[in-house]
Amino acid sequence: TPPPPVKQTLKKPKSEPAAKKPSQKKQAPESAREPQPEAMPVQQVIAITGIGDTHLYQDPAGVYSINLPVGFEKTAASPSGSRAAFVFDNAVRIQFAVRSVEPAWNAEDAMYRKVMDIQGGAGQKSTMTVGDYSLVEIGGARGYMIDFSGYIQDSSSKISLYALETSGKVLFIDINCANWRKQKNLDMYTTAQKSIRKTLIVY
């Protein structure tokens, strides 16, 4: 007699585990996200022979523009543009001021009066010594320039003053160098003088 048939059990193929979906972190709503710092505008650097790298400053009132050496930072400005101030390393300061003047304003007379004020006038003592002064024409405007030096608050200082007339107004520029015996300060003071004489434009 033939042997009984052998029962065969078919194994079901193992089902592969389902692929796990990558976990997605819930994003915070827009209002809860940390604000990202805004990119600051990059100021164009302009190289000028004899001065070096500069940044252009344009008076908001449209009275003047100038290329200041890189390193000067704005410390003050009036919305009308009548005043602006810049400082380098807390040692060299440049101040601009635009003021209305009488139609009869005369640069030569104003220069001599200012020289007398600096020197102290009759019977007055002054710690300042005037080095040079003259009538000038800079940036299309005429006026005067005075260089003097002395002590301000126990600091040896060099100062250059400019007064330039334009359309019934006068642009006054004051460059003050504290501790000028430090070569770095003196170099920047000299460079600031050059930038005024070479790049200032009075409209």
Side-chain angles (χ1 to χ4, degrees):
T1 60
V6 179
K7 291 183 178 181
Q8 295 183 356
T9 304
L10 298 176
K11 294 183 179 180
K12 293 182 179 181
K14 292 182 180 180
S15 58
E16 295 183 0
K20 292 183 179 181
K21 294 182 179 180
S23 60
Q24 294 182 352
K25 294 182 180 179
K26 293 183 178 180
Q27 293 185 348
E30 291 290 336
S31 59
R33 294 181 189 175
E34 293 184 1
Q36 297 297 318
E38 294 182 5
M40 297 296 291
V42 178
Q43 196 170 10
Q44 184 181 5
V45 175
I46 304 170
I48 297 177
T49 304
I51 297 175
D53 291 342
T54 66
H55 287 154
L56 175 64
Y57 174 73
Q58 291 183 309
D59 165 43
V63 176
Y64 64 94
S65 66
I66 187 172
N67 288 77
L68 292 176
V70 168
F72 276 96
E73 297 178 356
K74 187 190 293 184
T75 59
S78 61
S80 64
S82 61
R83 285 185 173 275
F86 302 82
V87 63
F88 169 79
D89 200 25
N90 204 31
V92 184
R93 301 176 186 278
I94 304 178
Q95 297 184 64
F96 298 88
V98 179
R99 301 172 194 156
S100 297
V101 294
E102 296 294 330
W105 188 85
N106 180 278
E108 188 171 13
D109 292 343
M111 177 182 67
Y112 284 119
R113 284 197 302 269
K114 191 65 178 178
V115 168
M116 292 297 293
D117 289 342
I118 294 168
Q119 292 178 335
Q124 297 182 8
K125 292 183 179 180
S126 174
T127 59
M128 296 294 173
T129 301
V130 175
D132 187 23
Y133 55 93
S134 65
L135 298 176
V136 295
E137 183 173 352
I138 299 174
R142 294 180 178 180
Y144 67 79
M145 174 277 300
I146 305 173
D147 287 342
F148 57 101
S149 60
Y151 284 86
I152 299 176
Q153 297 179 348
D154 298 327
S155 173
S156 56
S157 300
K158 278 184 175 292
I159 300 171
S160 286
L161 296 181
Y162 299 83
L164 303 167
E165 186 182 13
T166 171
S167 303
K169 297 179 180 179
V170 174
L171 169 62
F172 293 93
I173 306 171
D174 180 331
I175 311 176
N176 188 322
C177 176
N179 296 320
W180 65 267
R181 289 183 174 84
K182 288 186 178 180
Q183 193 62 46
K184 179 178 70 171
N185 296 348
L186 183 59
D187 288 346
M188 184 53 76
Y189 170 73
T190 303
T191 303
Q193 288 177 311
K194 290 179 181 178
S195 71
I196 288 173
R197 292 169 183 165
K198 293 187 69 171
T199 73
L200 178 70
I201 299 175
V202 182
Y203 301 103

PDB file of all heavy atoms in Angstrom, residues 111-133:
ATOM      1  N   MET A 111      36.713 136.987   9.968  1.00  0.00           N
ATOM      2  CA  MET A 111      37.943 136.263  10.293  1.00  0.00           C
ATOM      3  C   MET A 111      38.750 137.006  11.349  1.00  0.00           C
ATOM      4  O   MET A 111      39.193 136.414  12.344  1.00  0.00           O
ATOM      5  CB  MET A 111      38.775 136.058   9.030  1.00  0.00           C
ATOM      6  CG  MET A 111      40.106 135.366   9.274  1.00  0.00           C
ATOM      7  SD  MET A 111      41.081 135.202   7.742  1.00  0.00           S
ATOM      8  CE  MET A 111      41.462 136.939   7.401  1.00  0.00           C
ATOM      9  N   TYR A 112      38.944 138.317  11.168  1.00  0.00           N
ATOM     10  CA  TYR A 112      39.749 139.085  12.122  1.00  0.00           C
ATOM     11  C   TYR A 112      39.075 139.158  13.492  1.00  0.00           C
ATOM     12  O   TYR A 112      39.734 139.122  14.531  1.00  0.00           O
ATOM     13  CB  TYR A 112      40.034 140.483  11.573  1.00  0.00           C
ATOM     14  CG  TYR A 112      41.096 140.487  10.502  1.00  0.00           C
ATOM     15  CD1 TYR A 112      40.801 140.919   9.209  1.00  0.00           C
ATOM     16  CD2 TYR A 112      42.389 140.044  10.788  1.00  0.00           C
ATOM     17  CE1 TYR A 112      41.788 140.910   8.210  1.00  0.00           C
ATOM     18  CE2 TYR A 112      43.367 140.040   9.800  1.00  0.00           C
ATOM     19  CZ  TYR A 112      43.061 140.464   8.521  1.00  0.00           C
ATOM     20  OH  TYR A 112      44.042 140.450   7.543  1.00  0.00           O
ATOM     21  N   ARG A 113      37.757 139.257  13.495  1.00  0.00           N
ATOM     22  CA  ARG A 113      37.044 139.259  14.782  1.00  0.00           C
ATOM     23  C   ARG A 113      37.243 137.920  15.498  1.00  0.00           C
ATOM     24  O   ARG A 113      37.450 137.878  16.712  1.00  0.00           O
ATOM     25  CB  ARG A 113      35.552 139.521  14.566  1.00  0.00           C
ATOM     26  CG  ARG A 113      35.209 140.965  14.267  1.00  0.00           C
ATOM     27  CD  ARG A 113      33.717 141.224  14.483  1.00  0.00           C
ATOM     28  NE  ARG A 113      32.897 140.352  13.642  1.00  0.00           N
ATOM     29  CZ  ARG A 113      32.478 140.686  12.421  1.00  0.00           C
ATOM     30  NH1 ARG A 113      32.840 141.843  11.883  1.00  0.00           N
ATOM     31  NH2 ARG A 113      31.714 139.860  11.743  1.00  0.00           N
ATOM     32  N   LYS A 114      37.196 136.820  14.736  1.00  0.00           N
ATOM     33  CA  LYS A 114      37.370 135.494  15.342  1.00  0.00           C
ATOM     34  C   LYS A 114      38.783 135.323  15.863  1.00  0.00           C
ATOM     35  O   LYS A 114      38.993 134.746  16.946  1.00  0.00           O
ATOM     36  CB  LYS A 114      37.045 134.410  14.301  1.00  0.00           C
ATOM     37  CG  LYS A 114      36.943 133.021  14.899  1.00  0.00           C
ATOM     38  CD  LYS A 114      35.771 132.925  15.858  1.00  0.00           C
ATOM     39  CE  LYS A 114      35.629 131.541  16.430  1.00  0.00           C
ATOM     40  NZ  LYS A 114      34.514 131.443  17.403  1.00  0.00           N
ATOM     41  N   VAL A 115      39.786 135.815  15.132  1.00  0.00           N
ATOM     42  CA  VAL A 115      41.172 135.737  15.591  1.00  0.00           C
ATOM     43  C   VAL A 115      41.327 136.480  16.915  1.00  0.00           C
ATOM     44  O   VAL A 115      41.978 135.995  17.859  1.00  0.00           O
ATOM     45  CB  VAL A 115      42.133 136.311  14.526  1.00  0.00           C
ATOM     46  CG1 VAL A 115      43.529 136.493  15.110  1.00  0.00           C
ATOM     47  CG2 VAL A 115      42.191 135.383  13.319  1.00  0.00           C
ATOM     48  N   MET A 116      40.722 137.655  17.023  1.00  0.00           N
ATOM     49  CA  MET A 116      40.783 138.424  18.261  1.00  0.00           C
ATOM     50  C   MET A 116      40.121 137.673  19.411  1.00  0.00           C
ATOM     51  O   MET A 116      40.625 137.660  20.542  1.00  0.00           O
ATOM     52  CB  MET A 116      40.128 139.789  18.073  1.00  0.00           C
ATOM     53  CG  MET A 116      40.885 140.716  17.136  1.00  0.00           C
ATOM     54  SD  MET A 116      42.535 141.142  17.761  1.00  0.00           S
ATOM     55  CE  MET A 116      42.092 142.108  19.209  1.00  0.00           C
ATOM     56  N   ASP A 117      38.985 137.027  19.119  1.00  0.00           N
ATOM     57  CA  ASP A 117      38.296 136.253  20.155  1.00  0.00           C
ATOM     58  C   ASP A 117      39.170 135.101  20.660  1.00  0.00           C
ATOM     59  O   ASP A 117      39.238 134.837  21.860  1.00  0.00           O
ATOM     60  CB  ASP A 117      36.982 135.689  19.615  1.00  0.00           C
ATOM     61  CG  ASP A 117      35.923 136.769  19.401  1.00  0.00           C
ATOM     62  OD1 ASP A 117      36.092 137.862  19.980  1.00  0.00           O
ATOM     63  OD2 ASP A 117      34.963 136.505  18.667  1.00  0.00           O
ATOM     64  N   ILE A 118      39.833 134.430  19.716  1.00  0.00           N
ATOM     65  CA  ILE A 118      40.671 133.284  20.095  1.00  0.00           C
ATOM     66  C   ILE A 118      41.859 133.732  20.934  1.00  0.00           C
ATOM     67  O   ILE A 118      42.228 133.087  21.926  1.00  0.00           O
ATOM     68  CB  ILE A 118      41.159 132.538  18.827  1.00  0.00           C
ATOM     69  CG1 ILE A 118      39.967 131.904  18.098  1.00  0.00           C
ATOM     70  CG2 ILE A 118      42.181 131.470  19.197  1.00  0.00           C
ATOM     71  CD1 ILE A 118      40.297 131.396  16.712  1.00  0.00           C
ATOM     72  N   GLN A 119      42.450 134.851  20.563  1.00  0.00           N
ATOM     73  CA  GLN A 119      43.626 135.341  21.277  1.00  0.00           C
ATOM     74  C   GLN A 119      43.271 136.019  22.598  1.00  0.00           C
ATOM     75  O   GLN A 119      44.158 136.315  23.396  1.00  0.00           O
ATOM     76  CB  GLN A 119      44.404 136.313  20.390  1.00  0.00           C
ATOM     77  CG  GLN A 119      45.056 135.629  19.191  1.00  0.00           C
ATOM     78  CD  GLN A 119      45.777 136.602  18.295  1.00  0.00           C
ATOM     79  OE1 GLN A 119      45.461 137.791  18.265  1.00  0.00           O
ATOM     80  NE2 GLN A 119      46.767 136.111  17.560  1.00  0.00           N
ATOM     81  N   GLY A 120      42.010 136.245  22.831  1.00  0.00           N
ATOM     82  CA  GLY A 120      41.593 136.803  24.110  1.00  0.00           C
ATOM     83  C   GLY A 120      41.261 138.268  24.081  1.00  0.00           C
ATOM     84  O   GLY A 120      40.637 138.781  25.001  1.00  0.00           O
ATOM     85  N   GLY A 121      41.659 138.996  23.054  1.00  0.00           N
ATOM     86  CA  GLY A 121      41.341 140.413  22.982  1.00  0.00           C
ATOM     87  C   GLY A 121      42.146 141.229  23.980  1.00  0.00           C
ATOM     88  O   GLY A 121      43.003 140.722  24.700  1.00  0.00           O
ATOM     89  N   ALA A 122      41.870 142.505  24.022  1.00  0.00           N
ATOM     90  CA  ALA A 122      42.622 143.421  24.885  1.00  0.00           C
ATOM     91  C   ALA A 122      42.361 143.123  26.351  1.00  0.00           C
ATOM     92  O   ALA A 122      41.213 143.036  26.784  1.00  0.00           O
ATOM     93  CB  ALA A 122      42.238 144.859  24.570  1.00  0.00           C
ATOM     94  N   GLY A 123      43.434 142.945  27.119  1.00  0.00           N
ATOM     95  CA  GLY A 123      43.319 142.741  28.558  1.00  0.00           C
ATOM     96  C   GLY A 123      42.816 141.373  28.968  1.00  0.00           C
ATOM     97  O   GLY A 123      42.532 141.145  30.144  1.00  0.00           O
ATOM     98  N   GLN A 124      42.690 140.437  28.029  1.00  0.00           N
ATOM     99  CA  GLN A 124      42.209 139.101  28.357  1.00  0.00           C
ATOM    100  C   GLN A 124      43.306 138.078  28.085  1.00  0.00           C
ATOM    101  O   GLN A 124      44.095 138.217  27.156  1.00  0.00           O
ATOM    102  CB  GLN A 124      40.962 138.753  27.534  1.00  0.00           C
ATOM    103  CG  GLN A 124      39.775 139.655  27.822  1.00  0.00           C
ATOM    104  CD  GLN A 124      38.560 139.237  27.008  1.00  0.00           C
ATOM    105  OE1 GLN A 124      38.571 138.201  26.353  1.00  0.00           O
ATOM    106  NE2 GLN A 124      37.512 140.051  27.063  1.00  0.00           N
ATOM    107  N   LYS A 125      43.345 137.058  28.934  1.00  0.00           N
ATOM    108  CA  LYS A 125      44.322 135.990  28.755  1.00  0.00           C
ATOM    109  C   LYS A 125      43.698 134.832  27.980  1.00  0.00           C
ATOM    110  O   LYS A 125      42.511 134.554  28.100  1.00  0.00           O
ATOM    111  CB  LYS A 125      44.826 135.496  30.116  1.00  0.00           C
ATOM    112  CG  LYS A 125      45.664 136.517  30.880  1.00  0.00           C
ATOM    113  CD  LYS A 125      46.178 135.926  32.172  1.00  0.00           C
ATOM    114  CE  LYS A 125      47.036 136.946  32.929  1.00  0.00           C
ATOM    115  NZ  LYS A 125      47.552 136.394  34.215  1.00  0.00           N
ATOM    116  N   SER A 126      44.510 134.199  27.189  1.00  0.00           N
ATOM    117  CA  SER A 126      44.028 133.052  26.423  1.00  0.00           C
ATOM    118  C   SER A 126      45.080 131.959  26.438  1.00  0.00           C
ATOM    119  O   SER A 126      46.286 132.232  26.438  1.00  0.00           O
ATOM    120  CB  SER A 126      43.732 133.455  24.971  1.00  0.00           C
ATOM    121  OG  SER A 126      43.400 132.320  24.199  1.00  0.00           O
ATOM    122  N   THR A 127      44.619 130.702  26.475  1.00  0.00           N
ATOM    123  CA  THR A 127      45.536 129.565  26.407  1.00  0.00           C
ATOM    124  C   THR A 127      45.753 129.129  24.967  1.00  0.00           C
ATOM    125  O   THR A 127      46.460 128.160  24.716  1.00  0.00           O
ATOM    126  CB  THR A 127      44.988 128.372  27.212  1.00  0.00           C
ATOM    127  OG1 THR A 127      43.709 127.992  26.672  1.00  0.00           O
ATOM    128  CG2 THR A 127      44.810 128.752  28.677  1.00  0.00           C
ATOM    129  N   MET A 128      45.140 129.846  24.019  1.00  0.00           N
ATOM    130  CA  MET A 128      45.217 129.475  22.615  1.00  0.00           C
ATOM    131  C   MET A 128      46.202 130.356  21.857  1.00  0.00           C
ATOM    132  O   MET A 128      46.320 131.555  22.123  1.00  0.00           O
ATOM    133  CB  MET A 128      43.835 129.580  21.960  1.00  0.00           C
ATOM    134  CG  MET A 128      42.816 128.625  22.533  1.00  0.00           C
ATOM    135  SD  MET A 128      43.268 126.906  22.186  1.00  0.00           S
ATOM    136  CE  MET A 128      42.036 126.047  23.160  1.00  0.00           C
ATOM    137  N   THR A 129      46.881 129.744  20.891  1.00  0.00           N
ATOM    138  CA  THR A 129      47.817 130.466  20.035  1.00  0.00           C
ATOM    139  C   THR A 129      47.413 130.257  18.582  1.00  0.00           C
ATOM    140  O   THR A 129      47.307 129.115  18.115  1.00  0.00           O
ATOM    141  CB  THR A 129      49.252 129.956  20.236  1.00  0.00           C
ATOM    142  OG1 THR A 129      49.627 130.124  21.608  1.00  0.00           O
ATOM    143  CG2 THR A 129      50.225 130.721  19.355  1.00  0.00           C
ATOM    144  N   VAL A 130      47.170 131.348  17.886  1.00  0.00           N
ATOM    145  CA  VAL A 130      46.784 131.259  16.473  1.00  0.00           C
ATOM    146  C   VAL A 130      48.031 130.983  15.637  1.00  0.00           C
ATOM    147  O   VAL A 130      49.030 131.691  15.744  1.00  0.00           O
ATOM    148  CB  VAL A 130      46.099 132.551  16.011  1.00  0.00           C
ATOM    149  CG1 VAL A 130      45.816 132.509  14.509  1.00  0.00           C
ATOM    150  CG2 VAL A 130      44.814 132.774  16.792  1.00  0.00           C
ATOM    151  N   GLY A 131      47.946 129.957  14.806  1.00  0.00           N
ATOM    152  CA  GLY A 131      49.087 129.609  13.970  1.00  0.00           C
ATOM    153  C   GLY A 131      48.988 130.173  12.571  1.00  0.00           C
ATOM    154  O   GLY A 131      49.937 130.723  12.030  1.00  0.00           O
ATOM    155  N   ASP A 132      47.819 130.043  11.955  1.00  0.00           N
ATOM    156  CA  ASP A 132      47.656 130.489  10.569  1.00  0.00           C
ATOM    157  C   ASP A 132      46.208 130.867  10.339  1.00  0.00           C
ATOM    158  O   ASP A 132      45.290 130.281  10.934  1.00  0.00           O
ATOM    159  CB  ASP A 132      48.075 129.363   9.607  1.00  0.00           C
ATOM    160  CG  ASP A 132      48.081 129.816   8.158  1.00  0.00           C
ATOM    161  OD1 ASP A 132      48.201 131.043   7.928  1.00  0.00           O
ATOM    162  OD2 ASP A 132      47.941 128.965   7.263  1.00  0.00           O
ATOM    163  N   TYR A 133      45.985 131.841   9.489  1.00  0.00           N
ATOM    164  CA  TYR A 133      44.621 132.209   9.103  1.00  0.00           C
ATOM    165  C   TYR A 133      44.677 132.878   7.740  1.00  0.00           C
ATOM    166  O   TYR A 133      45.647 133.553   7.398  1.00  0.00           O
ATOM    167  CB  TYR A 133      43.954 133.132  10.135  1.00  0.00           C
ATOM    168  CG  TYR A 133      44.700 134.392  10.459  1.00  0.00           C
ATOM    169  CD1 TYR A 133      44.449 135.590   9.775  1.00  0.00           C
ATOM    170  CD2 TYR A 133      45.665 134.409  11.462  1.00  0.00           C
ATOM    171  CE1 TYR A 133      45.124 136.762  10.086  1.00  0.00           C
ATOM    172  CE2 TYR A 133      46.349 135.572  11.775  1.00  0.00           C
ATOM    173  CZ  TYR A 133      46.078 136.742  11.090  1.00  0.00           C
ATOM    174  OH  TYR A 133      46.759 137.898  11.395  1.00  0.00           O
TER     175      TYR A 133
END
